[in-house]
Amino acid sequence: YHQNNPFIMDRKGECEMELQFKTKVNASKERIWPYYVDPEKRSIWEEDLERLSFDGAVVTGTTGKMKLKEMPEMSFTLISVVPNFSYWDLTEVPGMGCLDFGHDILEESGKLYIRHSIRLEKDNPTDADLEFLCGVFSDVPHAVMNIKREVER
């Protein structure tokens, strides 16, 4: 998908590190989509979410703020929003670089999948950066499975 959407490529043209988790779901894209764009539904799968707000419509280019438990409030920019297909946002982390958070609803061979990705954009990442990225990613599989359980009810 990244190759087909140059807007979500990082500003340098390549991604330094990326982690992904994907699972098959038995639900329609339309049933899955609200879990990304509705703050109340978002808190069902993003369990440490305290607050999520958008500074406008949920479209590419809109900014917003997110507050997670035991974390400072973070600003983000929606870098690619395609309803019922893809929701990507970018958060700048001081001293770390940019984190891109991807949420894709994929159709492959007649089956539907949810894939979440976290990408670190940083020149010359270190082992400490990898450890940081793995820490951020650690709850992603559980979050994806929460969406799967909800939409398959």
Side-chain angles (χ1 to χ4, degrees):
Y1 176 71
H2 304 296
Q3 295 81 12
N4 299 330
N5 191 339
F7 191 79
I8 65 169
M9 291 302 290
D10 74 355
R11 273 47 66 196
K12 299 170 201 72
E14 66 181 62
C15 164
E16 292 294 339
M17 292 183 188
E18 181 171 344
L19 298 173
Q20 298 181 342
F21 181 81
K22 179 173 107 174
T23 192
K24 182 176 166 282
V25 290
N26 294 309
S28 69
K29 293 178 181 184
E30 294 78 13
R31 177 136 169 83
I32 298 164
W33 183 248
Y35 288 86
Y36 298 119
V37 297
D38 177 337
E40 287 188 30
K41 288 190 181 290
R42 180 89 173 238
S43 65
I44 291 170
W45 62 270
E46 196 153 8
E47 295 174 332
D48 56 350
L49 180 66
E50 290 182 358
R51 198 169 51 254
L52 173 68
S53 63
F54 299 100
D55 299 327
V58 181
V59 297
T60 301
T62 295
T63 57
K65 291 187 175 23
M66 172 183 278
K67 170 76 175 84
L68 302 175
K69 289 178 186 154
E70 300 177 22
M71 297 282 292
E73 185 173 74
M74 298 174 279
S75 296
F76 62 86
T77 302
L78 299 177
I79 58 173
S80 180
V81 177
V82 180
N84 299 318
F85 183 66
S86 180
Y87 172 107
W88 280 75
D89 63 77
L90 175 144
T91 300
E92 291 187 32
V93 181
M96 271 306 200
C98 292
L99 285 175
D100 298 341
F101 294 88
H103 313 84
D104 297 306
I105 303 167
L106 308 169
E107 196 167 341
E108 298 173 2
S109 304
K111 296 180 171 98
L112 219 55
Y113 296 85
I114 298 172
R115 179 180 66 202
H116 286 196
S117 309
I118 300 179
R119 181 169 59 202
L120 175 65
E121 298 176 22
K122 183 178 183 177
D123 290 331
N124 304 312
T126 64
D127 289 344
D129 295 323
L130 175 60
E131 192 172 316
F132 170 74
L133 185 63
C134 288
V136 173
F137 184 79
S138 66
D139 65 344
V140 168
H142 179 73
V144 170
M145 297 308 290
N146 282 346
I147 296 172
K148 177 180 171 70
R149 272 189 291 281
E150 283 293 314
V151 301
E152 289 183 345
R153 286 180 181 203

